[in-house]
Amino acid sequence: MDLRIRSEQGYQYVEEGSGPNLVLLHGLFGALSNFQHVFEAFGKDYRVIIPLLPIFEKSHADATVAGLTDYLEGFFEAKKLGSSILMGNSLGGHIALVFALRKPELASCLILTGSSGLFESGMGSGFPRRSSYEFIKERVGFTFYDPNIASKEMVDEIFEAMADNFKTLRVIKTARSAQRHNLRYDLPNIQAPTLLVWGLNDNITPPHVAHEFEKLIPKAELAFIDKCGHAPMMEQPAEFNRIVHKFLQKHMQVIA
């Protein structure tokens, strides 16, 4: 996916297409390529935007869920974005939920996949401060039902990040913040129609977490994808996009 990263008022982002706003929020180790198939499927009918969350940026002091949500609010203000569909994977889903609680008028619909906010195990037993390449490869593979989805480029990028003390500490801080920032008592206040798309083989936020989200969010509907782990939009893109498209068609009056 060859997308131009734009810079505006201190924010970096990708933007393509026109139509209703579809804002994509990546996870802790997320990259633009995570949403390649979403871009291809929805870029013609939606204004698809991916803000690059400053998880590893020294200039952004607060690497917590609250701090990253502040960043997203600032991005919406800088871009003068109105009501938008928010799609978030893992940590990105957590940020989408907090944003929707703070700014319900700006969240027309939520699409959450493998979201944190209730429970997550991390990538298995978690990352030590110094890790071998093989360990990182195994932990990244743990994200998927089929570990071969974890490309060499993906593993290399995370291995390089974990070799940097500052970035490692940021990852640890952000991950701990997500684990502590439990939304159980806030989720009943979510007003937006919410789609939960979950991998049946998700090891990080297992299926029981999806059922709990469905129970707590008033307008939630849940769809599982078989033979799929923590990132359905990457591992089962055709089925993921089919489910999302059906949901958006159903709620077109809210979105438009």
Side-chain angles (χ1 to χ4, degrees):
M1 180 174 59
D2 185 19
L3 293 171
R4 181 170 63 91
I5 297 177
R6 311 182 189 197
S7 295
E8 182 178 334
Q9 299 184 51
Y11 297 95
Q12 289 190 308
Y13 63 97
V14 166
E15 179 178 339
E16 296 287 339
S18 61
N21 298 331
L22 175 57
V23 178
L24 312 180
L25 301 172
H26 61 75
L28 186 58
F29 291 103
L32 295 178
S33 59
N34 293 177
F35 291 111
Q36 175 180 353
H37 299 289
V38 174
F39 252 97
E40 292 170 354
F42 296 96
K44 293 180 181 178
D45 299 314
Y46 294 84
R47 180 188 181 193
V48 185
I49 305 166
I50 309 179
L52 277 65
L53 300 175
I55 295 168
F56 297 134
E57 298 298 322
K58 292 184 179 180
S59 59
H60 189 76
D62 194 350
T64 63
V65 171
L68 292 169
T69 308
D70 291 343
Y71 181 89
L72 182 62
E73 286 190 40
F75 177 74
F76 263 69
E77 184 175 345
K79 290 286 294 173
K80 296 181 170 57
L81 296 177
S83 182
S84 303
I85 307 153
L86 278 78
M87 177 189 294
N89 174 237
S90 196
L91 173 68
H94 200 155
I95 294 167
L97 285 164
V98 177
F99 182 87
L101 287 163
R102 290 187 188 179
K103 299 284 185 178
E105 72 281 4
L106 295 180
S108 60
C109 289
L110 298 177
I111 302 166
L112 310 176
T113 181
S115 179
S116 58
L118 287 177
F119 168 86
E120 60 177 338
S121 67
M123 289 190 178
S125 57
F127 285 108
R129 292 188 62 178
R130 286 281 181 245
S131 303
S132 71
Y133 186 87
E134 286 304 312
F135 178 85
I136 295 294
K137 182 178 179 181
E138 177 190 345
R139 293 299 87 193
V140 176
F142 184 80
T143 305
F144 304 100
Y145 171 77
D146 177 6
N148 293 319
I149 298 290
S151 67
K152 184 179 184 302
E153 291 76 14
M154 189 185 305
V155 177
D156 287 349
E157 184 176 349
I158 294 175
F159 179 73
E160 182 180 347
M162 290 298 94
D164 182 304
N165 280 338
F166 174 80
K167 290 182 178 179
T168 300
L169 290 172
R170 294 278 286 194
V171 166
I172 292 170
K173 180 178 181 181
T174 306
R176 286 178 177 169
S177 168
Q179 290 171 348
R180 291 169 181 165
H181 195 137
N182 192 285
L183 295 174
R184 176 172 303 278
Y185 299 108
D186 299 309
L187 292 177
N189 296 319
I190 294 287
Q191 299 176 17
T194 301
L195 173 64
L196 308 165
V197 188
W198 237 257
L200 268 175
N201 311 96
D202 188 337
N203 294 309
I204 296 172
T205 50
H208 71 83
V209 179
H211 284 297
E212 194 70 9
F213 272 117
E214 183 187 27
K215 182 174 73 174
L216 293 169
I217 298 174
K219 299 177 185 177
E221 53 188 87
L222 171 60
F224 282 112
I225 301 179
D226 196 12
K227 297 181 180 179
C228 185
H230 191 56
M233 73 286 184
M234 297 174 66
E235 192 161 17
Q236 297 282 2
E239 180 63 6
F240 178 83
N241 290 336
R242 184 192 69 79
I243 293 167
V244 170
H245 179 74
K246 183 179 178 181
F247 172 80
L248 293 179
Q249 288 295 110
K250 177 180 175 181
H251 294 285
M252 192 55 67
Q253 285 187 326
V254 177
I255 295 165

